[in-house]
Amino acid sequence: MNSSKNIKKAILTITGIVVAMIFVAPVLILINTSFKTLQEIYINILALPEKLSFNNYIQAFEKMDFLKSLINSLTIVIAATVLILIVSSMAAWVLVRYKTRISKILFLVFSSAILIPFQCVMLPLVDVMSKLHLMNRPGLIFMYVGFGCSMSIVLFHGFIKNVPIELEEAARIDGCNMFQTFFRIVMPLLKGIMATVAVINVMWIWNDFLLPSLVINKNGLQTLPLRTYLFFGQFTKKWDLATAALVLCMIPVVVFYLSCQKHIVKGITSGAVK
């Protein structure tokens, strides 16, 4: 009996290692390639660099105007994420606490919206936003809030079900209105799921290329993913600088994810069981 359990454990361990290697391999190849010259990349992309040099990173940093692009990305990501957290948490709380036929229909609409691909609404969205003169940074943030709220409301909805309603009733007895009850009583209890929602939204907004390319693809406003496209021309591709630029773009979001990863599973599982 013990031998069969050990065999199963060994198989699962080996499977986990293989799967981890499959996922980690592209990242390791990217980092390895970022230290090579263009000639070395064309000769053998998997070989180690002949000389460890940070010249690619220095050139990519300068040509990307990294600091300005970083500020652009941070401005959009922070503003959109904060608005998503506030709007979606309040909406989910109302949908949970005020159960009516309309609230059930609205929650179904938000749940269904997750399944709609962005490409299906891309052209009509751009047309409408251009007519409203919102093809700018505030318009982009507004669009991110719209796309991010559906998944966020679903996650908050499951978590808020576990929040004791007696706390809110006690707050109302003490004279708190709806907003005071939410911001003073409910929101402090949502820290776990808020970290989860923040990580999920920060990652996809930070890495998004298509929507910013349609809305703010102008010099001085471009985000980091847009600036990396600078190294991919129609006839030539500067893989040495492009890989270094991609690593630079990856570092901030990886650091953010590693600092918050413990909250992801905790936040999701907390709302999974009532």
Side-chain angles (χ1 to χ4, degrees):
M1 191 71 177
N2 291 330
S3 60
S4 62
K5 287 184 178 180
N6 292 332
I7 293 173
K8 290 181 180 179
K9 187 176 180 180
I11 293 173
L12 290 174
T13 302
I14 294 172
T15 304
I17 294 173
V18 171
V19 172
M21 290 177 63
I22 292 173
F23 279 94
V24 173
V27 179
L28 296 178
I29 293 173
L30 176 67
I31 296 173
N32 179 54
T33 306
S34 67
F35 291 101
K36 295 181 179 180
T37 63
L38 191 59
Q39 183 179 3
E40 290 177 316
I41 294 174
Y42 285 138
I43 293 174
N44 188 350
I45 194 172
L46 297 178
L48 294 174
E50 295 180 359
K51 181 181 178 182
L52 188 64
S53 173
F54 290 91
N55 187 50
N56 290 343
Y57 286 91
I58 296 172
Q59 291 187 51
F61 189 92
E62 294 175 352
K63 292 187 177 183
M64 287 176 64
D65 196 3
F66 183 82
L67 292 179
K68 190 171 186 178
S69 301
L70 177 64
I71 293 172
N72 291 336
S73 290
L74 287 175
T75 302
I76 293 170
V77 169
I78 293 173
T81 303
V82 170
L83 288 173
I84 288 172
L85 290 175
I86 295 174
V87 172
S88 58
S89 61
M90 293 179 69
W93 178 63
V94 172
L95 291 175
V96 171
R97 294 299 185 229
Y98 299 91
K99 295 181 180 179
T100 62
R101 183 176 297 180
I102 295 177
S103 66
K104 292 179 181 178
I105 294 173
L106 287 174
F107 180 70
L108 182 62
V109 170
F110 285 122
S111 302
S112 303
I114 301 173
L115 305 176
I116 301 175
F118 168 71
Q119 290 77 8
C120 295
V121 298
M122 177 175 64
L123 295 179
L125 176 66
V126 171
D127 182 52
V128 171
M129 298 302 283
S130 62
K131 290 179 180 178
L132 296 175
H133 304 288
L134 287 174
M135 296 293 285
N136 47 35
R137 191 181 298 176
L140 178 62
I141 294 171
F142 177 76
M143 285 184 264
Y144 276 137
V145 173
F147 283 111
C149 275
S150 297
M151 173 67 78
S152 303
I153 287 173
V154 172
L155 293 174
F156 276 119
H157 192 276
F159 191 93
I160 291 174
K161 288 181 179 178
N162 297 322
V163 177
I165 195 172
E166 291 79 10
L167 296 175
E168 300 172 29
E169 292 174 347
R172 292 193 185 97
I173 293 173
D174 290 338
C176 291
N177 57 34
M178 180 184 291
F179 291 100
Q180 290 173 331
T181 301
F182 177 78
F183 285 106
R184 293 183 180 181
I185 305 300
V186 179
M187 183 173 278
L189 300 175
L190 303 180
K191 289 181 180 178
I193 189 63
M194 277 198 169
T196 302
V197 174
V199 169
I200 293 173
N201 284 286
V202 164
M203 290 180 65
W204 78 268
I205 294 174
W206 181 273
N207 294 316
D208 187 36
F209 174 85
L210 184 55
L211 191 54
S213 67
L214 295 173
V215 179
I216 58 166
N217 197 1
K218 301 176 182 177
N219 288 330
L221 297 177
Q222 293 172 319
T223 59
L224 284 173
L226 290 179
R227 293 299 294 174
T228 57
Y229 194 65
L230 173 71
F231 303 109
F232 296 94
Q234 184 177 0
F235 302 104
T236 59
K237 293 177 174 61
K238 301 177 181 178
W239 290 109
D240 51 344
L241 302 183
T243 51
L246 291 171
V247 173
L248 289 174
C249 294
M250 187 174 62
I251 290 174
V253 73
V254 168
V255 172
F256 175 77
Y257 175 79
L258 292 176
S259 63
C260 299
Q261 65 173 339
K262 64 180 180 181
H263 299 288
I264 296 179
V265 176
K266 181 181 177 181
I268 294 176
T269 55
S270 296
V273 181
K274 184 177 181 182

